Amino acid sequence: MEDNFFNKVYEVVRIIPIGRVTSYGAIGKYLGSAKSARMVGWALNKCPNDVPAHRVINRNGLLTGKAHFNGINLMQQLLENEGIVVEENKVIHLENNFWDPSKELL
DNA sequence: CTGTTGACTGTCG
DNA sequence: GCGACAGCCAACA
């Protein structure tokens, strides 16, 4: 596996537990720089089927990437399907469902 | 090869 | 508390 920042994003996102969500910055920070959150978004832009990009949201718990999915409510539906409460395109109880690779994965 | 854009976040004013 | 700027790296025109 190539240790590129890009590739790391795929691996981290793939290991996100069910019923948990994380943020672009959390992944970017785990990889080295929180400022690399943009790269996380760009990486997810490739959005391989193996990567549950719907579990990756912004720091505010807002489903910023919902527009990039096949539909608009698809991302929300997937999150709710995993038991995550989503309302107005944002995750409720975010801190309760938040999964930080720097802490959980460690 | 150079410039712009992009699913973000943190800091400064 | 809100607005604007900077930083990170890769892909596309």
Side-chain angles (χ1 to χ4, degrees):
Chain A
M1 290 297 285
E2 298 177 10
D3 293 347
N4 293 335
F5 206 100
F6 215 80
N7 205 332
K8 291 280 188 109
V9 176
Y10 296 131
E11 293 189 61
V12 174
V13 175
R14 274 186 252 196
I15 62 179
I16 297 176
I18 305 296
R20 293 278 196 265
V21 291
T22 188
S23 63
Y24 304 94
I27 297 172
K29 185 177 183 180
Y30 173 69
L31 299 180
S33 301
K35 303 300 183 71
S36 302
R38 297 180 131 171
M39 284 289 73
V40 178
W42 195 265
L44 293 180
N45 192 352
K46 305 297 185 179
C47 201
N49 295 333
D50 297 349
V51 180
H54 59 275
R55 293 185 193 154
V56 185
I57 57 184
N58 72 340
R59 194 55 171 108
N60 296 319
L62 189 65
L63 282 63
T64 50
K66 72 181 196 319
H68 287 260
F69 277 78
N70 292 316
I72 303 298
N73 297 334
L74 179 61
M75 189 173 188
Q76 181 173 332
Q77 289 293 288
L78 290 170
L79 292 172
E80 289 184 330
N81 187 27
E82 296 185 355
I84 300 171
V85 181
V86 182
E87 195 167 300
E88 295 185 50
N89 298 327
K90 62 186 172 192
V91 177
I92 310 302
H93 304 291
L94 177 62
E95 296 180 8
N96 191 29
N97 292 309
F98 191 78
W99 180 79
D100 188 345
S102 300
K103 296 176 182 176
E104 302 296 318
L105 183 61
L106 193 57

